[in-house]
Structures are given as structure tokens and as C-alpha cells.
Amino acid sequence: MATATLRLDIVSAEKAIFSGEVAMVFATGDMGELGIAPGHTPLITSLKAGNIRALLPNEEEEVFYVKGGMLEVQPFIVTVLADTIVRAKDIDEAAALEAKAKAEQVLSEKGTEVDFAKASSELAEAIAQIRAVQKLKKQLMK
């Protein structure tokens, strides 16, 4: 008996980054983590900076970092329209760690003119990128 799958299409303004059959999709929506299996109820939500994980039918996993965008779910089709999206394997981990440290330093400085919203957003983005890289490394160690 064939395993049920759904089609996942991930695109940004620049290009299509992934299109194919997957067993399951995990994403970070505005209200929290979403797990989407074949036959899922239709929905539309915005995406927060975080990871999108696609569990492939062969049980391998593709990991992406998304900065934001929209996610549309139909029973057997998931479409991600991303503001910015990068495959986890293409993320510069050293640059992400440096950005995280810089944002943490800016947030810790008291008495200075700091745009806390911007620094907090940069910190969240750096952490999401680091998590994507860590997830990929964990996969490779299996």
C-alpha cells in the first residue's frame, strides 16, 4: 500500500526553492508550530522567522530557514510564499552566531539609544538560523 503524501511548493520573490512530494511538513506560524500531514484541514497563516522542515517519503528531512511569509494548506498541497528562505545547508553558521552575539550585546546595553524591536528581531532571526543549522547537523550524524 502506498504511503499518502502531499505536495510542497516553497517559493520566494527570487526563485522556487523546493517542489516535491513529502510525507509531512512542520512550520512556525504566528500562533506556534504547525504539523501538516496529508489530508490536513485547509488554512492560511503567516510565518514567523523559524524553520520549515519537510519529512520526505524516504524518511530523510529537508530543513529550511524562513524569515517570514505566508503558508497555505490544502488537503494534499502546501504552498509557502516566503519573504526570505534559505536551505539550512547554505546558512553561514559563523555569521549567524556573530549576529546573535551582536544582538544580545545591543539588548544588554542599558542607557543607550537602542531600537529594541529591531535588535530583538535580529536576535530571533539569528537564533532561528542557528537552530536550522543544528537540526541539519543532527540529521547528518544519524
Side-chain angles (χ1 to χ4, degrees):
M1 183 172 156
T3 304
T5 61
L6 50 91
R7 178 155 191 89
L8 174 62
D9 293 312
I10 302 175
V11 298
S12 71
E14 295 88 31
K15 63 182 176 179
I17 193 161
F18 181 90
S19 185
E21 297 296 313
V22 299
M24 191 121 183
V25 177
F26 302 92
T28 308
D30 268 346
M31 302 300 284
E33 279 293 305
L34 296 164
I36 303 156
H40 195 285
T41 302
L43 71 90
I44 295 178
T45 187
S46 55
L47 295 169
K48 292 176 25 177
N51 297 323
I52 293 178
R53 295 182 296 126
L55 181 60
L56 304 177
N58 64 4
E59 297 189 15
E60 289 183 21
E61 196 173 60
E62 286 272 352
V63 181
F64 306 88
Y65 161 75
V66 64
K67 187 173 179 178
M70 296 297 295
L71 174 84
E72 178 187 16
V73 178
Q74 294 297 322
F76 294 94
I77 302 170
V78 175
T79 305
V80 176
L81 305 171
D83 295 338
T84 301
I85 190 149
V86 180
R87 289 181 185 271
K89 66 182 180 183
D90 296 334
I91 294 172
D92 182 347
E93 185 178 16
L97 288 168
E98 184 179 320
K100 177 181 178 273
K102 183 178 176 184
E104 288 174 334
Q105 180 179 354
V106 167
L107 288 170
S108 70
E109 293 175 358
K110 298 190 186 313
T112 61
E113 284 293 317
V114 175
D115 184 347
F116 284 100
K118 181 179 178 193
S120 295
S121 174
E122 289 172 356
L123 178 60
E125 288 175 26
I127 289 171
Q129 288 180 356
I130 292 165
R131 285 185 181 151
V133 171
Q134 290 171 342
K135 180 68 109 173
L136 180 62
K137 284 182 176 180
K138 188 185 279 187
Q139 272 183 280
L140 295 174
M141 295 178 105
K142 287 183 180 180

